[in-house]
Amino acid sequence: MYILGINSVYHESSAALLKDGTVVAAAEEERFNRVKHGKQARADNPDELPVSAIRFCLDKAGITLADVDHVTCAADPAEIQAVKDGGLPSPWDSAEKQSLFLDTLPNIPKKFTELGFTGDFHWVAHHTAHGASAYFASTFPDAAVLVVDALGDDAYSTRLYHGKGNALEVVQSVRYPASIGYLWELVSVFLGFGVYDAAKVMGLAAYGDPQRFAEGFGRLAWTTEDGGFDMRHDLLKFSDILYYPPSADTSGLESVLGVRPRRPEEPLEDVHHDIAAALQEKTNELVLHMVRHLHSVTGASRLCLAGGVALNCVTNQVAFEQGPFDELYVQPAAHDGGLSVGSALHVWNAILGRERGEEMRHAYWGPSYTEAEIEKELAARDGLLVERPEDFEGQVARLLGEGHVIGLFQGAMELGPRALGNRSIIGDPRSRSMRDDLNHKVKHREYFRPLAPSVLSEAVPEWFEVAKETSAGDFMLMAYPAKADKHDRMGAVLHVDNTCRIQAVRADVNPRFHRIISEFEALTGVPMVLNTSFNDQEPIICSPADALATFLKTEIDYLAIGPFLVRKDVSEGGTEGAAQ
């Protein structure tokens, strides 16, 4: 039985395909169309299907839409209509946009019918799909499930569930406009970034003192006795947040914090660091409060996290290691990009009542390319020097040890916002200068953005303070303190607060990447490499053509693509200009 799940209604458009309850393919549309987030989040385009991601999933399985038994979309028009009828707050800033959005949603099943689909179509509510994307992707038979993002279909920003067998039962909800996700968007704009720049704020927070604005954020958001939280709705005007161009009414923040908003062109100062730190601390407090409440009402020993806030590796570490749960599962696409997986898993498990599938142990569900396809793309470019080293992993490790920056393109593309060794830029983790060079010369981004280490899983306990082991560390979804005696050997990946957002690399999950790191350890004694996503102000690369385009326009030294090692020919008669 094939189930195709999609997400298209807001942003992070994606598609995922299940075969008999197990994921066989999943990818985000942005990787194919090269548009960040797949498309703009507008009221008139929820029916803009992730056509390239859908085509990839079907091609991977060797089927057509006519072979698909069920299609599911992560949205519930009935819940959205109930919000409108009840006069409840919606993500749209006008009744006209809300009506347009509702009128356009029914085009989604119609378009699938026009494309040849003849099976059953299912709507799955936004937060239900989030919860399913974590709980049903785990193998936990019983778990507490916390979904935290900006807003669902039903005017709730946060849902607390008890997962039992094939069902998710709601045990608590937090009503919008109390919303952690929107608070991060508002503060992002206040600090001079874009609405989508929560990751920047998270990186900036480590530079600040959370106590300076703790009282101010305490007036804006607080925990409640029922296990949830609330906010000052009159001051936090989330409905005025606009994505295009990014803007928001930050007057409430300004009045409480006593600080004017930063303009994008202005330098970052200590006051901005401290605001970010206070926001991070408040988020930790609110999520930990809900986690403890979930434990008390469910009695479960296992926790699943989902929603965009579950990409916050600092909060995840606090919620798990300071919380009461023994086990934690977070899947790699915890944001809206994972809704396609979640909606499909919900249909298989909760609607059809089928046997639970395998655990999602890795993120490598996207396109892969044959050696012949890679070789053809290389042959079509001038100005490249291509070799095929016999000892590929050893040669890559030696080049890293010499200080070279390498674009690593291997196997299937990762699902989710973190590159995990198959579409990565890697470097020597030991020198701080490597981090600064990468941020400035290759990634063209701010000084405060941390770079992550990919670490041999067996070496993690020796190098990091890990109180409770979790597979979330395999997906760069946990931040751990590095052990003090190791700091001097990991300058490029050590954040200012001496933590690292790690990827634990397992030999049975990504054997080639594990071998590269093992070879690097043999040369240097350091069981990790620096790893950042293979992109430059764009979506993470997908294809060999994308890899070469980014390689040629940046100061990456080598491209390790398939079995080939590529560098730019800068000798007489062969220049980078010719390569381009």
Side-chain angles (χ1 to χ4, degrees), residues 183-198 201:
L183 183 61
W184 276 79
E185 292 184 0
L186 185 70
V187 174
S188 294
V189 174
F190 185 80
L191 291 175
F193 305 123
V195 177
Y196 285 111
D197 286 335
V201 179

Side-chain angles (χ1 to χ4, degrees), residues 416-461:
R418 312 268 156 85
L420 300 170
N422 284 10
R423 302 291 186 276
S424 292
I425 297 171
I426 59 175
D428 189 333
R430 295 173 295 174
S431 171
R432 175 60 184 259
S433 63
M434 174 59 71
R435 168 187 156 173
D436 296 337
D437 286 348
L438 262 172
N439 272 337
H440 178 65
K441 295 180 179 179
V442 177
K443 302 286 284 187
H444 302 110
R445 63 184 199 175
E446 300 87 353
Y447 68 89
F448 59 83
R449 302 288 297 278
L451 297 171
S454 292
V455 191
L456 298 178
S457 60
E458 57 270 30
V460 169

Side-chain angles (χ1 to χ4, degrees), residues 518-530:
S518 297
E519 292 285 350
F520 185 79
E521 180 188 28
L523 291 171
T524 66
V526 178
M528 67 185 75
V529 297
L530 178 154

Side-chain angles (χ1 to χ4, degrees), residues 514-555:
H514 191 276
R515 286 197 299 271
I516 289 172
I517 302 170
S518 297
E519 292 285 350
F520 185 79
E521 180 188 28
L523 291 171
T524 66
V526 178
M528 67 185 75
V529 297
L530 178 154
N531 175 11
T532 188
S533 54
F534 198 159
N535 60 339
D536 175 21
Q537 307 292 309
E538 61 185 333
I540 297 174
I541 63 165
C542 175
S543 67
D546 298 334
L548 282 163
T550 301
F551 170 61
L552 289 168
K553 74 178 182 180
T554 63
E555 296 184 50

Side-chain angles (χ1 to χ4, degrees), residues 95-153:
E96 291 75 21
K97 287 182 181 178
Q98 194 175 16
S99 296
L100 176 60
F101 184 70
L102 275 164
D103 291 343
T104 310
L105 278 174
N107 292 339
I108 295 174
K110 289 178 185 176
K111 286 186 174 183
F112 274 103
T113 300
E114 293 168 359
L115 291 169
F117 173 64
T118 58
D120 296 325
F121 184 90
H122 307 264
W123 298 103
V124 176
H126 185 95
H127 279 154
T128 301
H130 267 316
S133 77
Y135 176 59
F136 293 128
S138 77
T139 53
F140 297 162
D142 178 278
V145 181
L146 178 60
V147 175
V148 189
D149 60 3
L151 182 62
D153 298 329

